[in-house]
Amino acid sequence: MADKLPETKDMPAEGEFAALMEASLAERGGEISVGDRITGPVIAVTDTTIVVDTGTKLDGVADKAEFLDETGALTIAEGETVTLYVVSLRGDEVVLSKALSGQGGAEALRAAFEAGLPVEGKVTASRKGGFDVEIVHRRAFCPVSQIDVAFTENPESHVGQTYSFAITTFERDGKNIVVSRRKLQEQERAESELRFLESVSPGDVIPGVVARFAAFGAFVEVAPGLEGLVHLSELAWSRCDKAEDAVALGQAVTVKVLSFDRDKKGRPRISLSIKQAGPDPWDSVGEHFAVGDKVEGKVVRLADFGAFVEIAPGIEGLIHVSELSHTRRVAKPGDVVSVGEAVTVAIKDIDLAKRRISLSLKEAAGDPWEKVPETFAIDSTVEGVVENRQQYGLFVNLAPGVTGLLPASKLRDALEPAAYDKVKPGDTVSVIVSEIDAEKRKITLGPVGGTKEREIRDGGGKRERERESDDWKRYVKKEKASQAASGGFGLLGDKLQEAMARKKK
């Protein structure tokens, strides 16, 4: 029996020594094993390697070539965080890699299978039910359902691509190898989800990258393998019919986290907003717009009661159907404007509390009634186009936006009623301007040729009724002249004398 070493004040006891050795190994990286997934910051970049902090006393090293793009440029920098796998332990060195690649043979693949280490493979062909994948100079099979977490619509899009795979089946010394890319994606997403839940809450504003489009919005990757949905209504303050109108694939965006829950299958469901990550344009409406302003805008949608016009990104106003035109009676907005049309509008009212702006197209164009007293003189004869006939008169358009009424009472007493009896909408007629009330936007018209009874104003302002028109006076004057020429009987006497003479014969 060997003599027991004497204990000294400076030497620990045997049990303490074993504990210290175990702790030392743990500090140096004894808890790290091949196949472990390591996430840590890059602490140095050398000519050939990337040095990563593994969270232990031992740093990890990875081949720098794995982090070069197609042009040879380095895709990572000191301080950035990377996630790699432990592919081997050599003494005090921890070798890291994105996946097992290159040489190794069947034994290396078996070790990767047993350790759960990803392997790098190239999809070489698409065949029934899946894909052929070349891994370390051996052929493996990847089922179509395992090539991606998303549904594969076009299998050929994966052919020629190089991915990392997990080996799910390794049999007959490598003659039957089945791999899955989806398994790694789900693992990555689960880890991202966990980190996301620990660090992000609803209301937070975070960076993301547009990953893909859908009919109802765009999916944005907010963490490796973890996506959230930005609905169409949340893409921008302006309206958009499809996501491609607001963002582009691969575009870096800032999003606000609206909510986080899970679907019926337990998968994460993250709701995001791009527009809410920035300022609300309504907060500055009062600084940029005022009642009475004339502004440019674009018609974005039509309704039965009017047209909505965007006058700034996210700021829409309504042109009521009654504000669309001075020159015509509008039955529906589409008769005057169309979606996408650029228009100039006047701001009639702003209600910031209700987020409403009232607009007018006709006010921006100018009021045609402002110059009516200058354009149309009382008792002047003008031409107009018949708009419609009602029981109380004939409406005649005299100029764009200016319509007068020829009352039914004046039509009945017209000396030349035939000129107005058969006119129809669209016909041109001549009328006399009788009265103008610009304030009430009314013009009263009269028939050309006069009426059987009309009012005459003399120089002193007195009014008298004249029951015969000028034409009637001319007729009476002609009748008297005829009487004088025939001995006082007039035209009727002449006719009687002729009749009596024929009877005597």
Side-chain angles (χ1 to χ4, degrees), residues 135-182:
I135 299 174
V136 191
H137 305 298
R138 290 179 178 269
R139 190 177 71 176
F141 175 72
C142 178
V144 67
S145 63
Q146 298 300 309
I147 196 68
D148 203 317
V149 289
F151 176 75
T152 300
E153 295 184 1
N154 178 22
E156 293 301 321
S157 64
H158 292 288
V159 176
Q161 301 296 322
T162 298
Y163 302 127
S164 290
F165 295 89
I167 301 175
T168 56
T169 300
F170 186 88
E171 297 175 340
R172 293 182 294 163
D173 293 329
K175 294 180 180 179
N176 180 29
I177 304 174
V178 180
V179 295
S180 170
R181 176 174 175 243
R182 179 172 180 167

Side-chain angles (χ1 to χ4, degrees), residues 255-274:
V255 295
K256 181 178 181 178
V257 180
L258 301 181
S259 63
F260 183 93
D261 57 10
R262 297 182 182 278
D263 61 18
K264 294 180 180 180
K265 295 183 179 180
R267 294 172 298 191
R269 186 166 56 188
I270 306 171
S271 179
L272 307 170
S273 173
I274 291 177

Side-chain angles (χ1 to χ4, degrees), residues 174-192:
K175 294 180 180 179
N176 180 29
I177 304 174
V178 180
V179 295
S180 170
R181 176 174 175 243
R182 179 172 180 167
K183 183 177 180 179
L184 295 180
Q185 290 177 318
E186 290 176 340
Q187 179 183 349
E188 183 179 38
R189 185 168 65 183
E191 294 175 356
S192 294

Side-chain angles (χ1 to χ4, degrees), residues 230-246:
V230 181
H231 190 269
L232 277 175
S233 61
E234 295 295 330
L235 281 167
W237 290 104
S238 299
R239 296 178 184 271
C240 56
D241 295 325
K242 52 185 180 179
E244 294 93 321
D245 295 337

Side-chain angles (χ1 to χ4, degrees), residues 300-433:
V300 291
R301 59 192 175 102
L302 302 178
D304 293 339
F305 49 84
F308 289 89
V309 176
E310 186 179 57
I311 59 176
I315 305 298
E316 293 180 9
L318 171 66
I319 308 175
H320 190 268
V321 67
S322 62
E323 294 294 330
L324 282 168
S325 177
H326 276 302
T327 62
R328 56 193 293 192
R329 289 180 173 85
V330 181
K332 54 183 180 179
D335 293 339
V336 180
V337 295
S338 58
V339 173
E341 181 181 352
V343 293
T344 300
V345 292
I347 297 178
K348 291 178 62 68
D349 184 60
I350 297 176
D351 189 335
L352 294 177
K354 294 181 179 180
R355 294 188 170 217
R356 293 178 181 174
I357 297 179
S358 297
L359 305 172
S360 175
L361 188 66
K362 68 182 186 182
E363 284 193 12
D367 187 353
W369 278 87
E370 291 179 355
K371 296 184 178 181
V372 161
E374 302 173 11
T375 306
F376 302 99
I378 298 297
D379 292 334
S380 63
T381 300
V382 296
E383 284 192 344
V385 177
V386 177
E387 285 191 351
N388 59 66
R389 181 189 291 274
Q390 300 291 338
Q391 63 181 14
Y392 42 82
L394 200 65
F395 287 94
V396 180
N397 182 256
L398 305 178
V402 179
T403 297
L405 172 64
L406 179 54
S409 60
K410 292 194 176 188
L411 285 172
R412 286 193 297 268
D413 293 337
L415 290 176
E416 300 175 7
Y420 303 96
D421 285 347
K422 296 182 179 180
V423 295
K424 58 185 181 297
D427 289 349
T428 300
V429 295
S430 295
V431 292
I432 294 175
V433 179

Side-chain angles (χ1 to χ4, degrees), residues 65-303:
E66 287 193 66
F67 301 90
L68 301 179
D69 62 17
E70 296 177 353
T71 64
L74 188 63
T75 60
I76 196 134
E78 290 186 18
E80 292 187 29
T81 300
V82 294
T83 298
L84 301 170
Y85 291 90
V86 178
V87 294
S88 69
L89 295 171
R90 297 196 294 261
D92 290 343
E93 186 179 57
V94 179
V95 180
L96 305 174
S97 177
K98 292 181 178 180
L100 178 66
S101 61
Q103 302 295 326
E107 288 305 314
L109 290 176
R110 181 188 296 279
F113 168 66
E114 294 174 350
L117 181 67
V119 294
E120 188 178 87
K122 182 178 181 179
V123 181
T124 57
S126 170
R127 58 189 176 94
K128 184 178 180 180
F131 302 87
D132 288 333
V133 182
E134 183 180 335
I135 299 174
V136 191
H137 305 298
R138 290 179 178 269
R139 190 177 71 176
F141 175 72
C142 178
V144 67
S145 63
Q146 298 300 309
I147 196 68
D148 203 317
V149 289
F151 176 75
T152 300
E153 295 184 1
N154 178 22
E156 293 301 321
S157 64
H158 292 288
V159 176
Q161 301 296 322
T162 298
Y163 302 127
S164 290
F165 295 89
I167 301 175
T168 56
T169 300
F170 186 88
E171 297 175 340
R172 293 182 294 163
D173 293 329
K175 294 180 180 179
N176 180 29
I177 304 174
V178 180
V179 295
S180 170
R181 176 174 175 243
R182 179 172 180 167
K183 183 177 180 179
L184 295 180
Q185 290 177 318
E186 290 176 340
Q187 179 183 349
E188 183 179 38
R189 185 168 65 183
E191 294 175 356
S192 294
E193 179 186 335
L194 181 60
R195 291 193 298 269
F196 185 85
L197 287 174
E198 291 175 346
S199 59
V200 178
S201 301
D204 289 352
V205 176
I206 58 175
V209 176
V210 179
R212 55 193 175 95
F213 294 133
F216 43 81
F219 285 92
V220 174
E221 187 177 55
V222 293
L226 187 63
E227 297 176 354
L229 172 65
V230 181
H231 190 269
L232 277 175
S233 61
E234 295 295 330
L235 281 167
W237 290 104
S238 299
R239 296 178 184 271
C240 56
D241 295 325
K242 52 185 180 179
E244 294 93 321
D245 295 337
V247 291
L249 285 177
Q251 179 182 343
V253 293
T254 301
V255 295
K256 181 178 181 178
V257 180
L258 301 181
S259 63
F260 183 93
D261 57 10
R262 297 182 182 278
D263 61 18
K264 294 180 180 180
K265 295 183 179 180
R267 294 172 298 191
R269 186 166 56 188
I270 306 171
S271 179
L272 307 170
S273 173
I274 291 177
K275 74 177 189 181
Q276 293 188 43
D280 185 343
W282 276 93
D283 292 341
S284 59
V285 163
E287 301 174 11
H288 299 99
F289 302 104
V291 173
D293 288 352
K294 289 184 180 181
V295 296
E296 298 291 329
K298 182 178 72 173
V299 179
V300 291
R301 59 192 175 102
L302 302 178

